Amino acid sequence: MTTSTEMALPPAIPGIELAKHILHRLFRDFDGCLRIRLWDGSEVHLGHNHPAFSLSFRSSKAFQELILARDPLRLAESYFQGRIDIDGDLYSALKLRHHLASLKLSLMEKAELAAKAFRIKLEKTASTSSDTPKWEKTFGQKMGLEPSKDLNRHAISFHYDVSNDFYTLWLDEQMVYSCAYYEDASQSLEQAQRDKLDHICRKLRLKPGERLLDIGCGWGALICWAAEHYGVSAYGITLSQNQYDHAQRTIKQRGLEHKVSVELLDYRDLQGEARFDKLVSVGMFEHVGLKNLPTYFAIANRLLKPGGLFLNHGITSDEGGWKKTVSTEFINRYIFPDGQLETVSTVQKIMEDTGFEVHDVEGLRQHYALTLREWVRRLDARHEEALNYVTEPVYRVWRLYMAACAMQFEEGNTGIYQILASRREPFSSPVPLTRRDLYRQPGIK
């Protein structure tokens, strides 16, 4: 049951009452609580408790388009454009998608709501603010497009070459843009990311003098950590010019030129066989594309020395095949144009089919939820500074994207796994009999 309380205002402009009728029907069975502010300033309260957030429509057009389109992505786009604002708890607002997805309207009800929405459009309404930001699609991908080298390169640039300064605002001091590893939820992001880097190095059982390849090395945090703390010779590749430039500066600043190198290179262009003692890839294979996963793992297998170890750290889906949904279309349209996820079981099968023996699989779903929430908190706290490097629409894309991803991990629809493997060899023993060596010493602080 819903109740409405309206502010004392001048006579309602045409369309306001129609909008309220539509809202009361859409939220008739809503079991939460929210406040909706319409374009004339009036408010509709739905539910009985104090609302955790407010949804504000800046124009009747934004409201009318949303009702007629019945497309959740239209709501997201309106938020990016500033035609809809969310005040208060963003995570509570994102839960609205469950209510909207569960709505069961008869054909008659749909027709009645559409008719009311059309009447709002025909009546005179407040014009959209002239300063409303315009969202321009810089890059897009049709669902199902097969990832190629050109697509991967442009997609990486689209996502990672926003601005190093922008990422610096909310990442940790080492610029690690992947899931942290929390000993407990109260731990700082900086410590959790250091622990993650060390956890990976321990799993790989890195030893002084070994050669390490990092496929998709980002801003270079892991290759520098491995060289400094484990004495390896590390080589990283990336497709992002910004990441490459930052990594080169970091290597020089730390005096690691003799141990660490980075190159702008596609993994498919890596040459040679059995070149590296250890391989690692963190948060990269999501860009590979489902059709290219066998090629990706086959190349990794070719480059790894017998007895060596390969750790693949990546996001997975609870459904296979990367089917077209609201979530997948949102990610491909605004965040990762080439991103595609697969189930962890399928990933393991492909690894085995390309000659790997899987030794260890660790799920970090809860860790990524904590990481994403901390990123959002930091980004929110530095909103004004962020606008020095990106536009308001881009800021809103990142804010909504990371908050939505945090909820996906919390709800269990998305997972993330570290899979440790080696080339399948007779009489091979590349890892100890137990995991005790991973936890024998305290992590490096």
Side-chain angles (χ1 to χ4, degrees):
M1 180 176 180
T2 61
T3 62
S4 68
T5 304
E6 297 158 18
M7 299 172 59
L9 292 164
I13 61 177
I16 292 297
E17 293 306 318
L18 289 171
K20 291 177 181 178
H21 282 294
I22 292 172
L23 289 171
H24 283 302
R25 173 58 193 95
L26 292 178
F27 292 95
R28 185 176 65 191
D29 301 317
F30 183 57
D31 60 0
C33 184
L34 75 151
R35 178 191 297 113
I36 295 181
R37 185 175 295 110
L38 298 175
W39 54 95
D40 72 331
S42 63
E43 296 182 350
V44 177
H45 293 249
L46 301 161
H48 298 285
N49 299 318
H50 181 72
F53 68 97
S54 296
L55 194 65
S56 300
F57 289 89
R58 293 180 59 182
S59 73
S60 57
K61 183 179 181 182
F63 183 89
Q64 182 266 342
E65 286 181 348
L66 182 62
I67 300 303
L68 291 178
R70 297 199 302 274
D71 180 3
L73 287 181
R74 187 67 64 89
L75 177 61
E77 288 180 356
S78 293
Y79 171 68
F80 301 154
Q81 295 165 348
R83 298 196 297 150
I84 293 176
D85 282 320
I86 300 172
D87 300 308
D89 184 17
L90 180 60
Y91 297 97
S92 294
L94 285 169
K95 291 179 182 178
L96 278 179
R97 73 188 191 278
H98 296 305
H99 172 75
L100 296 175
S102 67
L103 276 175
K104 290 181 172 44
L105 301 173
S106 66
L107 289 176
M108 181 65 72
E109 286 177 312
K110 291 178 181 179
E112 289 177 354
L113 292 177
K116 289 178 180 178
F118 269 119
R119 287 172 62 191
I120 293 175
K121 182 181 180 181
L122 293 173
E123 293 171 339
K124 184 179 179 181
T125 59
S127 60
T128 303
S129 173
S130 60
D131 64 350
T132 298
K134 182 179 180 182
W135 171 252
E136 297 179 357
K137 295 178 184 177
T138 307
F139 187 84
Q141 175 197 19
K142 293 181 180 179
M143 294 294 293
L145 184 63
E146 183 176 356
S148 64
K149 288 184 181 180
D150 285 341
L151 175 61
N152 289 153
R153 184 171 60 256
H154 289 303
I156 293 299
S157 177
F158 173 80
H159 188 89
Y160 294 101
D161 289 344
V162 174
S163 165
N164 283 347
D165 293 323
F166 174 69
Y167 283 100
T168 300
L169 294 177
W170 46 275
L171 291 180
D172 65 300
E173 57 196 7
Q174 298 186 80
M175 299 282 283
V176 182
Y177 183 45
S178 56
C179 174
Y181 189 73
Y182 285 86
E183 290 291 335
D184 59 73
S186 64
Q187 199 173 26
S188 71
L189 178 65
E190 280 72 22
Q191 185 61 55
Q193 289 292 16
R194 288 194 293 268
D195 287 347
K196 188 273 293 295
L197 296 177
D198 206 58
H199 190 54
I200 289 174
C201 291
R202 287 170 177 275
K203 279 189 175 181
L204 286 169
R205 277 78 179 185
L206 294 182
K207 298 175 183 176
E210 289 185 329
R211 296 192 69 201
L212 170 69
L213 168 64
D214 186 351
I215 304 175
C217 65
W219 285 279
L222 180 56
I223 51 178
C224 290
W225 184 274
E228 287 180 321
H229 296 285
Y230 289 83
V232 302
S233 174
Y235 169 57
I237 61 171
T238 178
L239 292 178
S240 166
Q241 184 69 50
N242 282 1
Q243 290 183 335
Y244 170 81
D245 292 341
H246 179 90
Q248 290 283 49
R249 287 193 298 270
T250 301
I251 291 168
K252 186 174 181 179
Q253 289 168 359
R254 298 187 185 182
L256 295 172
E257 297 97 324
H258 64 296
K259 284 188 175 182
V260 181
S261 61
V262 63
E263 188 174 1
L264 276 171
L265 189 71
D266 189 286
Y267 73 93
R268 284 161 286 199
D269 294 326
L270 286 163
Q271 301 298 314
E273 186 171 344
R275 290 177 53 195
F276 299 95
D277 299 284
K278 306 290 168 64
L279 265 67
V280 65
S281 182
V282 181
M284 177 273 177
F285 97 125
E286 298 91 335
H287 297 285
V288 167
L290 303 189
K291 293 182 179 180
N292 287 335
L293 283 178
T295 299
Y296 165 74
F297 285 119
I299 290 173
N301 190 282
R302 168 173 58 81
L303 292 167
L304 187 63
K305 291 181 179 180
L309 291 172
F310 169 44
L311 187 145
N312 191 78
H313 170 124
I315 302 172
T316 63
S317 174
D318 63 342
E319 293 186 6
W322 196 242
K323 300 177 180 64
K324 184 174 181 177
T325 66
V326 171
S327 296
T328 60
E329 193 168 0
F330 175 85
I331 289 173
N332 288 144
R333 186 180 299 182
Y334 300 112
I335 309 299
F336 295 106
D338 63 343
Q340 294 181 334
L341 305 181
E342 191 46 277
T343 61
V344 64
S345 57
T346 300
V347 173
Q348 290 183 79
K349 183 179 186 306
I350 296 173
M351 292 181 72
E352 291 172 332
D353 289 344
T354 51
F356 279 109
E357 177 185 0
V358 175
H359 297 287
D360 193 284
V361 180
E362 182 177 13
L364 301 176
R365 178 179 62 82
Q366 293 170 292
H367 296 260
Y368 216 167
L370 290 170
T371 306
L372 284 156
R373 279 187 175 260
E374 179 60 12
W375 285 344
V376 173
R377 186 193 68 78
R378 290 176 174 222
L379 180 60
D380 281 349
R382 306 186 75 173
H383 182 189
E384 293 302 318
E385 291 178 76
L387 298 184
N388 292 324
Y389 309 113
V390 299
T391 63
E392 177 69 20
V394 172
Y395 165 83
R396 290 185 177 213
V397 167
W398 280 90
R399 182 174 186 255
L400 186 67
Y401 154 65
M402 292 194 293
C405 284
M407 295 191 68
Q408 285 285 101
F409 282 106
E410 288 167 355
E411 294 168 359
N413 300 318
T414 307
I416 183 165
Y417 292 89
Q418 290 183 349
I419 303 177
L420 184 69
S422 67
R423 289 174 60 170
R424 190 180 298 111
E425 303 277 349
F427 309 108
S428 176
S429 302
V431 294
L433 293 176
T434 72
R435 298 179 180 175
R436 290 197 185 109
D437 63 310
L438 298 182
Y439 309 105
R440 187 166 294 151
Q441 303 172 19
I444 297 174
K445 305 301 179 185

